[in-house]
Each structure stands twice: as structure tokens, then as C-alpha cells.
Amino acid sequence: MPLFQKQPMMRRVLYSLIPIYVFSIYLYGLRTIWLSLLVFISGIFTEYIMESRKKKPVSEAVLVTCALLSLSLPPLTPWWIAVIAAFFGVFFAKEVYGGFSRNVFNPAIVGRLFVYISFPIQMTTKWIIPKADAFTSATPLDLLRSGQKLNIEELFFGFRSGSIGESSIILIVLAAVYLIITKTASWRIMVSTFGSATLLTLLFDIFHLGPPALPMLLSGSFLFVTVFMATDPVSAPKKTSSQWIYGVIIGICSVLIRTFSLFSEGTSFAVLLGNTSASLLDELMAKKKVKV
């Protein structure tokens, strides 16, 4: 029996992440490799133990989960937190539901949020300014919420503090184009998520209810999560009409949580809320079609 179940779609997601990984290694050096290695070992081992009991191979989807999770962690995340995040995400968000294609929630999001809530100090202060070896306790999104101005060029090209793989906007956009062209990820979810968040952010900016729109959209993990996690084919809706509504839910919730809650990074919570409503949206759209 092969160790991994072949899944071409998941491989394409991994291919799209390669430039982001290379850039993150350039920014943070061996920290990226070390944390990723621990996350991959923990995640793959967890799924192997569970699937071997059923005499099934490990899905290549777990590689995507581990890659996204490691790229979503702060560069100075303690090694044991990275291991816990991978175990919790794969075990509680995937294997307890029966394994690949049966999970309700995105495993990478669940793993990230579990350690984010359980270890808030370690997950909100372990930042570093790239290529400067200078520590910082604030990300651009935190600075923006406190009223400080940000350099748009640094935000766009990724030379700013943040999670390991969330910083380079241009590489994330190129990955999105590749995923859409290869029909790997839903462009409807990307467009509706980004469009609804952009519109609400602009309205808040106009009425002085939130930070300036452009730096707000370019800060944090909003684009990274929108492209790679909101579009997860298992936890997202399957019907095209549902995907539009699903994206709007994530986009609006992301902006509301980012702007008004204690958590400066709300996109992950928004995706979890979207996952919760995904199956219901498909069911409602199916009933509407039958009625017509």
C-alpha cells in the first residue's frame, strides 16, 4: 500500500505555494524550514496513525494542511506550539470526522485558531522584522488599528512583520491566478470574499469607522487566507450560487472582526464561520432550484 494517496489537485496547491515558501526562507532563514519540518512531521504522523487503522494511505491533502499551517504561524513560534497546532488541526478537524473529504472545517484554520486562542501571548508577540533581525510586538495590522501610517510598498512586496507566508501580496496574487487557471480553486469564492471585504472596508474608511482601506486590505493574512483557505474544496460549498454567498459571509465577517473585536486578525475566524454555514447554503440553494 502506498504511503500517500495521489491527489493532483492538492499537488497543484503545493506547487502554487513554492514561491511563497522560497520568499519566506529568504525573509526568515532557517526558522521557516525548522517550523515547517516540525509541522509536517506532526501532521503526517497524526494522519498516518489514524488512517493505518483503516488500512488507508495518508492523503496528500495533509501536505497542503501542513504547508498552509506552517506559513500562517509567526516566525518565532515555539516549536512545541507548532507541533500542537498540526496535531490538533489534523486530528480534531479532520480525522475525528472520518478523514479526507468528510471534514466540516478547514484543518489548517482549526489548528491555527486553537493555538492562537490557547497561547495568545506566544502567538501575538513572536514577530520579527524581515532581514533586520529586530524583534517587534506588533504587526502592520496592529499598527494600523492604533492609528499609525504604513508604507504601501513594503506591504505589497512583503518586507514587513507578519506570519511566515502571508506578507508577499504579489506572490499570493500570482498563486491565485495559477489556481484559477488550473481550475484548482474557486474564483467565485475569491472574488466574493475580496469584493465584499473591499466594499465594507471602503465604507468604514469613508465614514471614519475604521482604518484606511488600502493598507487595511494589504495587511495581515486576509489575502493569504482568501486564496488558500477559504477556497478549500472540502469545507467550502459545492454549488456555484452558494459559493458567492459563502464568500460574502467570509468577507464581511473578516472586516467586522478585524475592525471592532479584540482580535486584530479576523480572517481565520471568518472562514470558520463560513465553514459552519457551507452545507446549509448548499441545501438552501438545492431547495430553491427544485422549487423553481
Side-chain angles (χ1 to χ4, degrees):
M1 182 180 66
L3 178 60
F4 289 100
Q5 174 187 353
K6 292 184 179 180
Q7 296 173 308
M9 179 180 290
M10 297 301 165
R11 291 187 183 183
R12 291 195 291 270
V13 177
L14 291 173
Y15 297 154
S16 70
L17 289 171
I18 291 176
I20 297 175
Y21 251 116
V22 173
F23 184 68
S24 66
I25 293 173
Y26 169 73
L27 293 180
Y28 303 111
L30 294 178
R31 293 184 184 90
T32 298
I33 300 175
W34 171 241
L35 275 180
S36 297
L37 182 62
L38 291 173
V39 169
F40 272 85
I41 291 174
S42 178
I44 293 172
F45 181 73
T46 301
E47 183 160 327
Y48 172 77
I49 293 298
M50 297 299 295
E51 294 299 323
S52 62
R53 297 171 61 252
K54 300 179 288 185
K55 297 183 179 180
K56 292 183 178 181
V58 176
S59 67
E60 289 186 343
V62 74
L63 302 179
V64 174
T65 296
C66 293
L68 294 177
L69 177 58
S70 59
L71 290 172
S72 70
L73 295 175
L76 298 178
T77 300
W79 67 269
W80 53 275
I81 289 183
V83 171
I84 291 174
F87 165 76
F88 192 90
V90 173
F91 183 80
F92 286 100
K94 183 177 181 181
E95 291 304 318
V96 296
Y97 288 96
F100 176 73
S101 79
R102 296 185 179 183
N103 52 287
V104 178
F105 304 103
N106 183 296
I109 287 288
V110 171
R112 181 189 189 190
L113 287 182
F114 176 74
V115 294
Y116 185 59
I117 296 172
S118 301
F119 312 104
I121 295 178
Q122 292 87 344
M123 292 298 294
T124 56
T125 60
K126 298 297 183 179
W127 311 107
I128 187 172
I129 300 174
K131 309 304 293 179
D133 289 331
F135 301 100
T136 177
S137 60
T139 64
L141 193 57
D142 295 318
L143 297 174
L144 194 62
R145 280 164 53 113
S146 65
Q148 299 187 39
K149 293 184 178 181
L150 302 178
N151 187 308
I152 298 299
E153 184 178 346
E154 290 180 354
L155 293 176
F156 187 77
F157 289 103
F159 294 97
R160 45 88 166 179
S161 59
S163 295
I164 292 174
E166 73 178 20
S167 61
S168 179
I169 301 301
I170 187 170
L171 291 180
I172 295 173
V173 171
L174 290 175
V177 172
Y178 169 77
L179 294 175
I180 292 172
I181 291 176
T182 58
K183 298 181 179 181
T184 304
S186 169
W187 64 268
R188 298 175 184 85
I189 294 177
M190 293 187 198
V191 170
S192 57
T193 300
F194 183 78
S196 58
T198 300
L199 180 60
L200 187 56
T201 303
L202 284 171
L203 289 175
F204 283 170
D205 187 9
I206 292 172
F207 292 101
H208 305 289
L209 297 174
L214 184 57
M216 186 71 166
L217 292 170
L218 297 181
S219 301
S221 62
F222 172 66
L223 282 178
F224 181 82
V225 173
T226 296
V227 171
F228 295 108
M229 296 182 178
T231 57
D232 173 30
V234 176
S235 56
K238 308 303 183 289
K239 298 185 179 299
T240 56
S241 55
S242 303
Q243 291 173 352
W244 289 107
I245 303 174
Y246 176 78
V248 171
I249 291 174
I250 295 176
I252 292 177
C253 290
S254 295
V255 176
L256 292 176
I257 296 172
R258 280 174 141 209
T259 306
F260 300 112
S261 77
L262 292 175
F263 298 100
S264 60
E265 185 52 72
T267 315
S268 296
F269 291 99
V271 172
L272 206 62
L273 291 172
N275 290 164
T276 305
S277 64
S279 58
L280 176 61
L281 290 174
D282 276 341
E283 183 178 352
L284 292 176
M285 292 301 106
K287 288 183 178 179
K288 183 177 180 180
K289 184 176 181 181
V290 171
K291 185 177 180 180
V292 172

